[in-house]
Each structure stands twice: as C-alpha cells, then as structure tokens.
Amino acid sequence: MHYLDELNPVQREAVTQTDGPILVIAGPGSGKTRVLTYRIAHLIEQGIPPYNILTLTFTNKSAKEMKDRIEKVVGARAQQVWAGTFHSIFARILRAEASKIGFPSSFSIYDTDDTTSLLRSIIKEKNLDPNAYNASAIRSRISLAKSNLLSPTAYRENADMMSQDRQQRRPYVVDIYETYLNRCQRAGAMDFDDLLFQLYRLFRENPDNIVEKYRNRFRYIHVDEFQDTNFLQYAILRRLLKYDGSPENVFVVGDDAQSIYAFRGATIDNILDFEKDYPNLRTYKLEQNYRSTHHIVQAANEVISYNRKQLQKTIWTDREESNKIKLLKCTTDDEEGRRVADSILEQKHRYHLPNSEIAILYRTNAQSRKFEEHLRRHNMPYRIIGGMSFYQRKEVKDFVGYLRLAVNPRDEEALRRVINYPTRGISDATVDKLVMLASGKNISLWEALRDPALDVNPKARQSLHNFYLLVSNWQQRAEKDLASKLADDILRQSGLLVHLKADTSPEGISRLENAQAVLDAISEFTDNPEPDLETGEPGERTLSLYLQTISLLSDADEKNDGQDQITLMSVHGAKGLEFKSVFVTGLEETLFPSFMSFEDPNGLDEERRLFYVAITRAKEFLTLTFAKHRYKYGQIRENDPSRFLEEIDEKHFDIVGGIGAGRASAKEAPVSPRASVSGSFATPRNRQQASAQPAIDPAGFKPSAPDAIVAGATVLHLKFGEGKVLSVDGAKDNKVAAIQFKGDELPERRIVLKFAKLQVM
C-alpha cells in the first residue's frame, strides 16, 4: 500500500501541501504523528534533501520514533533529517558556533542541581539572607527572565520585574542574575534556558552570517506540540523564518486543548494567534479520534467546551459503543487506593489486560503513596514515572562529574563535586580558598588550582597538583579516545571504582551496578554512533557528544526495562501516552482543579485542559475517582467533588445519576464554585451559602488600583472578606496575588489583579 493511501482525506491534504505556512490542529488520538512523519517522507520523495528538513519535538524519544517511521517509507535517507528537541538541536548549533559568543565548543550543560548549587554559592558570597534569597526561587526568577529575553541590563530597565523584587524584599536578584551569567561564561557552561537564550543571542549578534547559514540549511521547518512552545522558542523560529523573500515553509502541529505547561513558560497564544503572524496560513483540523471509544471522546468534548478561549473543533470517533465511564465515590483516600487496586484486579481477570496497559494518574506526585500500598498488597508490579531519574542518582552524578571535568576542566560545579571525592586530602577550607582566589582574580577554579598566589599548606598543594595532573591527562585524551575507553579509565583512576566496591551492603552493590550501567551506556553509544546528517557516515564517538546526549534526556527518554508493570504518574507526565485502561484520581475541588487556579480564569482553563489530557489517554476503559475525606497539611479535610465531573453528561457514566445538575451555571461562570450537585455527589459544603452574603458592606467598598496591591498589604474582598497579601508575581496585566483570607479553608488563594476587586485597608 502506498503511504498516502493510509491517510484520511484531511490528513492527506495536509501532508501533500508542501509549501507555505501550515497549521494542523490535531485532537487527541487523531494521527498527528502519522501526519507529521508522512509529511516529511513526502517532502523527501518530492526531491527535498533530508538535511534541509528540521523537525522540532518535545522528547528525543519521539524524534527517534519519527525517524524510524520515516525510514520505513524512504529508507536510510530518513536518518539525515534534523530531528530532535528544541534543546538538543539548538545545543548542536551552539557546539558548532559557540566561539562566536565566547563559549568553548565543549561547554558543559548545567542541570537544575548544578544551577541551584552555583546560585547558593553566589548568594553566600554576596552575604545575602539565604531565606529571603532562596536559591530555587531565584533560579525560577532567572529562568523567567531568560524566557522573556531579558538580559540583566533589560531586567534593570523593566519596572515591573524590579518592583516585584522590591515587594518580595529581594532587590538584589538582578545582581545575582548578572553574576550567575558571568560565572557560567567563566566556567564554559550553559543551563537549559541558555540553550535557547544564548542561541537567540548568537542569532541576534550574527544576522548576516550565522542566521543566513541556518536559514539556507533549514528550508522546511516542522514543530510538534506547538501549543507547548514558549515566547523564546517562537522568537527563535521567527528569526529562522522571517526575512524578505522567505517562502515561510513552516508546518506546525498542535492542539490548544492540550496546552498544559504554562508553569514552564509555555504560552497558548503562540497557537491561538499563529494566523496573525502568517496571513497566508492554511489550517487543517484532524477531528477523527482513532484511540478512544465514544463515551470517552464525548466526555472530552463536553468538558473542554467550558473553556473560554479556544480553536473550535469537534472530536469524533467511529469506534463502536462499549464501556461507559466508571465513577468511584470513596469515603477516604485510603478507600480510594483500595478500590482502584480492586478495580485493576477485576479488569485484569475479566479482560485479561496486561499491567503495561493500565495507568493511574494523579494531580500531584504525593498522591501515589496510597496506590502503592494497595498495589503491593495485591502483589501487582508497578513503576512510578517522575521519581528520581537514573542520571540524578548520587553515584551516577559523581561519575558523570568526572567525565564532565575531563571534557571541560573549567566546569566549576563538576570540579567542586569531585575534587575531594573519594577523599584525597583536599579540605573544604582549601576549596574555599580556591573559590576566593578565583573570584578575586576573575579566573576559573581550574586556573586557580596552579596559581602561585594560592595560600595552602604543602600537603594540600601536592594533593591539588596530583588532581590537576590526573584531570589534565584525561583532558588530552577527551577529543581523540573512544568515549568508552576513556570513561573506563576515569572510573578506575579516579578512585571511584575502589570506593564503590568497598561498600558490600545491598545498597552499595546497587550503587556500583549503577556506575557500571553508565559504562554500558557509553559503550552502546560508542558502538552505535549517530550518523552524520549530511554524509550519512558514522558520526562522533567522543565523550563530549555523549555528555551532551545524556544532559538533554527527559524522563520520557529513559528506557523502560521491559517489565510488565502498572504505570503511576502525574497527569503532566502522561502527555503523549495512551493505555487501554486509565484511572484519573483525586477529582476534588482544590486538588483537581488545584486551589492555585482559583480566581484566575486562565489558570482554571489550564486545569480543565489538564483533565482533558488525562481522560483522553484512555483507549477503552476510563475510571474517575474522588474521596470525600483526604489528609491535607496533616489534617483530615472534607472535600467537594471536582466541578469537572458535572461538566460531563451523566449518560456517559455507568450507574451514576445527577451529574448534569448545575452545568449551565458552570459554563456561564467557570471561575465561580459550581452549583450543587445531586444524585451520587454530595452537596458542596455550604459553599454557595457562605458566599451568598458579602463579607463586608458593598456600599462602602472602593476597589484599589492593581498597582496598590503589594506583598504585606491587608485587603478586603467582597466575597472572602479580610486577607493578607503573601506575594505578587507576574508583570503588567498578568500580575497574580497570593492572598490568605481569614477563616478560609484554603491556605491561600491566587487572584489575577487585573480582574480582582480588592480594597487596601
């Protein structure tokens, strides 16, 4: 069968339209991956060189699967397509061009731990209060600045950002940011945000040579999951596309109803407003769902219809009627865990489902404990996605720290991690002197190691000298030796192997096995190098390229061990996956939707999109659960069922009545608490009655201007009464205040100041 014959009419039209800007709105289970892969295959079949095609995805795993599927159509040429995540593709460009912005081609990539560690050091050096200047919070603040293309200079000129920092009593954030950027440059390192931020800088500073080079290289650009792109990613795309005479051959695929990563900086406006930037845009809607049964598809349509701002589409399926959606109303979260485990056991016996086709989804990772307890009682194997990654384990990070240092001795975080591990006579006091000398002379720690001005005793100086010689030897071999051979020598010569072997406890043996697993992974990388995209010949097999590869792995990219296990994961982690049976749990007000989204129309819309993603992971069996009582903050609390449940027509549920009550009011005012629900749901705990009477007299109420609402202020709200403003985040019209109201069951409410009516007392 010809590959085009496998497509339905709309899919085929999208695939064969090869020129100009194209938007494909792809509902869940509508075959978007097939459309994307066949579109690329079709371009190659039409004579477009594969190395002129760029495809940006959100996991390396999906990029590899895409290439494999293209290969089935066009053969080995598929491997020459530029396909990967934004970060991996941009890292590759930066490797080639890094010298133009003052970085080495072998720059290190700092993960979250490295960044947090460096920020703690800077905060300490500046004698700032570590409580006010929490390193994790500062990291998020710097990430926000980079995502919005704010350099330290632009940050200082941004009145909103500076005002927020003053309100939060941390006016020196911008100074930390500036020092952090300088220290990364000195260490020859970039963090994840820098792979975008520094690439944009590279393009901005080199418009005529570098940008033009890659515009000519990438004649056809494809973007998967376009709804999850952020401002900076889109700005880079525009740089690659926007110039006089450009054919604007950009093909983006996405679904606004599955935009769930605003907390990471993703902006749904990229897909909603795409047509404004490309007036000649052709839009195709993939509305046939091949994954799920009728009840699941209709429930998804009904739920998402409550969102205010969306691209209109109606998902449909021709799959036969089958199982209705199960609803489990539980008294406690412990009962929820037990009934979910019992239901899984029943499905396995009745329908012979393998464990790998069953998933339990929850809003927060903390909910997994009860399900784990009851699955263990039934002796059912499970795996948790979103726990500690293999590459985040201490013994693995220690080994990789040595590997990073061999490739880039200027990597200060790697050096500090391993300089005295295993112990080699280099004390913390010696390291502190190194740091002080490096900061005073604005040199790297590596240079400070041999600086005559370093004031240490002879024994420490000899230990530093021995360490310097050890790393220098590896450095000389890094670009010529096979990665596997060098890594094996590093494990032995560093003393790590002997150190790990000395611990014969079960935990110690496991740590040694993990270090050996890194060697196995490097050997596999060496034996199966990625081909060069233009020549097709085997590519690099250096340690530098291996480290880049593992630095950009996500949880979704790590290999499953192939065991038949039930999957437990957060809803965010389930994006892009599918299972025959899905349990969506904890469907209660303040949990799902999260209390963080209340009073914010955009936040509640995102929670609804998250629920939409959750239920559309199911192919045949969907079970929704909620508990009337659940422990929160150490206390048992009574819960109302989620408003999302009543947005689904009761005809889609199995033996459940009264779900539809109140749906009209929810649609008219989705931000407000929903109306009472009858039947199987208990009436919400006097929530409407409590809010029916204003907390204060409206006659004397005068709302204050949003700019007057600052952290620490006491405010009045017509509905919630008196409250204390805990914090204010965001800029301009996007400012959100976290407020703790007296007598409120929630620890805080987040309110968009643009829409809020608050009076400062």
Side-chain angles (χ1 to χ4, degrees), residues 197-485:
F197 186 72
Q198 297 292 0
L199 183 80
Y200 188 86
R201 174 190 164 198
L202 173 72
F203 282 179
R204 187 190 66 234
E205 294 177 3
N206 300 272
D208 296 328
N209 51 357
I210 301 300
V211 177
E212 193 64 28
K213 172 182 175 180
Y214 289 100
R215 280 175 179 166
N216 290 330
R217 170 66 56 82
F218 305 134
R219 308 305 295 269
Y220 291 84
I221 298 177
H222 303 77
V223 185
D224 192 14
E225 305 287 4
F226 185 63
Q227 76 281 349
D228 293 329
T229 54
N230 63 26
F231 173 80
L232 180 50
Q233 288 166 329
Y234 189 44
I236 293 171
L237 284 176
R238 297 280 290 163
R239 284 267 172 179
L240 284 171
L241 284 162
K242 197 67 178 176
Y243 66 103
D244 291 341
S246 166
E248 296 182 336
N249 291 329
V250 58
F251 186 96
V252 302
V253 182
D255 180 7
D256 59 297
Q258 297 185 67
S259 179
I260 60 173
Y261 293 120
F263 69 97
R264 293 183 187 170
T267 171
I268 193 173
D269 292 338
N270 284 352
I271 190 168
L272 293 178
D273 299 335
F274 193 58
E275 189 172 7
K276 293 179 181 177
D277 290 329
Y278 297 94
N280 298 325
L281 183 72
R282 290 184 176 88
T283 300
Y284 301 93
K285 295 181 180 180
L286 307 184
E287 297 176 301
Q288 182 174 0
N289 181 300
Y290 294 94
R291 175 191 299 156
S292 306
T293 57
H294 172 77
H295 289 296
I296 296 171
V297 169
Q298 288 304 110
N301 279 333
E302 290 169 8
V303 166
I304 205 64
S305 70
Y306 284 79
N307 271 11
R308 289 183 170 91
K309 194 176 178 183
Q310 57 181 295
L311 299 171
Q312 292 300 322
K313 61 183 177 300
T314 302
I315 306 303
W316 60 276
T317 183
D318 58 7
R319 292 192 63 183
E320 295 181 4
E321 293 280 342
S322 54
N323 302 283
K324 288 188 175 183
I325 300 168
K326 300 282 186 184
L327 181 69
L328 298 182
K329 173 188 172 184
C330 307
T331 304
T332 65
D333 52 351
D334 186 71
E335 182 189 347
E336 181 184 43
R338 175 178 60 78
R339 293 186 66 183
V340 166
D342 289 345
S343 297
I344 290 174
L345 203 59
E346 179 185 355
Q347 288 183 350
K348 285 170 59 63
H349 289 156
R350 179 178 294 184
Y351 303 108
H352 307 291
L353 293 183
N355 293 321
S356 60
E357 286 288 356
I358 301 171
I360 301 173
L361 308 183
Y362 33 74
R363 181 63 181 82
T364 65
N365 287 319
Q367 293 170 249
S368 71
R369 182 175 62 87
K370 287 295 183 183
F371 303 114
E372 291 184 69
E373 290 174 359
H374 288 282
L375 290 175
R376 282 199 295 267
R377 288 173 188 170
H378 286 292
N379 201 28
M380 288 189 283
Y382 63 88
R383 62 174 181 145
I384 297 180
I385 306 296
M388 180 177 286
S389 161
F390 174 78
Y391 287 100
Q392 291 300 313
R393 293 170 180 153
K394 182 184 182 303
E395 62 276 11
V396 174
K397 287 182 74 73
D398 292 336
F399 187 11
V400 170
Y402 275 108
L403 303 180
R404 282 168 48 180
L405 206 55
V407 167
N408 175 22
R410 289 164 52 188
D411 186 335
E412 295 189 5
E413 290 306 305
L415 189 148
R416 293 176 69 157
R417 184 179 191 92
V418 304
I419 193 170
N420 196 43
Y421 185 80
T423 55
R424 51 174 59 89
I426 301 173
S427 67
D428 290 346
T430 298
V431 175
D432 288 343
K433 289 181 179 180
L434 273 174
V435 171
M436 289 178 62
L437 180 64
S439 296
K441 289 192 168 185
N442 194 27
I443 59 176
S444 67
L445 292 184
W446 178 250
E447 293 170 293
L449 278 175
R450 303 193 71 189
D451 194 299
L454 181 62
D455 181 21
V456 294
N457 62 51
K459 184 178 179 181
R461 186 173 293 280
Q462 185 60 47
S463 296
L464 291 172
H465 179 68
N466 293 340
F467 179 73
Y468 183 91
L469 292 178
L470 189 67
V471 176
S472 294
N473 173 258
W474 299 334
Q475 182 189 5
Q476 292 168 13
R477 299 171 53 190
E479 291 304 319
K480 57 184 181 181
D481 282 18
L482 283 179
S484 54
K485 171 60 176 154

Side-chain angles (χ1 to χ4, degrees), residues 88-99 103-109 188 190 195 202 214 407-408 540 544-545 547-549 551-552:
S88 64
I89 293 293
F90 295 168
R92 181 171 181 174
I93 295 173
L94 284 167
R95 292 281 180 203
E97 315 291 351
S99 62
F103 282 86
S105 62
S106 58
F107 63 83
S108 299
I109 299 176
M190 298 187 194
L195 296 176
L202 173 72
Y214 289 100
V407 167
N408 175 22
E540 287 184 52
S544 176
L545 186 58
L547 289 172
Q548 175 184 310
T549 302
S551 295
L552 299 172

Side-chain angles (χ1 to χ4, degrees), residues 497-509:
L497 184 62
V498 171
H499 178 75
L500 291 171
K501 281 184 174 179
D503 186 351
T504 57
S505 68
E507 295 80 10
I509 293 171

Side-chain angles (χ1 to χ4, degrees), residues 461-686:
R461 186 173 293 280
Q462 185 60 47
S463 296
L464 291 172
H465 179 68
N466 293 340
F467 179 73
Y468 183 91
L469 292 178
L470 189 67
V471 176
S472 294
N473 173 258
W474 299 334
Q475 182 189 5
Q476 292 168 13
R477 299 171 53 190
E479 291 304 319
K480 57 184 181 181
D481 282 18
L482 283 179
S484 54
K485 171 60 176 154
L486 179 56
D488 187 69
D489 287 347
I490 289 173
L491 182 62
R492 298 173 188 279
Q493 294 169 10
S494 65
L496 264 182
L497 184 62
V498 171
H499 178 75
L500 291 171
K501 281 184 174 179
D503 186 351
T504 57
S505 68
E507 295 80 10
I509 293 171
S510 176
R511 285 190 283 270
L512 176 61
E513 289 173 345
N514 287 335
Q516 295 284 4
V518 176
L519 284 181
D520 293 341
I522 297 174
S523 295
E524 183 180 358
F525 165 82
T526 303
D527 295 340
N528 302 283
E530 288 285 324
D532 182 274
L533 291 178
E534 296 190 24
T535 66
E537 298 296 319
E540 287 184 52
R541 292 183 285 182
T542 61
L543 197 53
S544 176
L545 186 58
Y546 170 74
L547 289 172
Q548 175 184 310
T549 302
I550 65 169
S551 295
L552 299 172
L553 284 177
S554 65
D555 287 347
D557 293 320
E558 293 193 20
K559 293 182 179 178
N560 185 8
D561 55 16
Q563 296 182 26
D564 184 31
Q565 298 169 312
I566 296 163
T567 299
L568 277 66
M569 66 198 312
S570 72
V571 180
H572 282 102
K575 180 79 178 293
L577 303 178
E578 58 181 41
F579 304 87
K580 282 190 177 179
S581 176
V582 170
F583 292 77
V584 184
T585 62
L587 284 163
E588 301 134 32
E589 290 290 302
T590 76
L591 181 57
F592 200 178
S594 165
F595 75 88
M596 299 286 284
S597 67
F598 288 3
E599 305 307 320
D600 177 358
N602 295 326
L604 189 57
D605 278 4
E606 173 132 346
E607 288 288 304
R608 190 174 281 107
R609 292 194 295 268
L610 191 59
F611 181 59
Y612 177 87
V613 166
I615 62 180
T616 55
R617 300 309 93 199
K619 294 193 281 189
E620 295 182 18
F621 306 97
L622 175 61
T623 306
L624 308 179
T625 76
F626 69 93
K628 283 296 294 175
H629 300 89
R630 186 181 299 273
Y631 272 99
K632 292 181 183 178
Y633 314 110
Q635 296 181 336
I636 192 75
R637 291 177 181 259
E638 187 177 347
N639 308 306
D640 298 329
S642 171
R643 68 190 70 194
F644 299 152
L645 292 171
E646 71 179 35
E647 294 172 358
I648 302 173
D649 195 298
E650 61 185 38
K651 68 184 179 183
H652 300 302
F653 283 96
D654 192 8
I655 323 175
V656 174
I659 299 168
R663 287 165 57 238
S665 62
K667 189 158 188 174
E668 289 166 8
V671 178
S672 303
R674 52 188 180 75
S676 298
V677 184
S678 58
S680 295
F681 295 135
T683 301
R685 191 166 6 100
N686 299 322

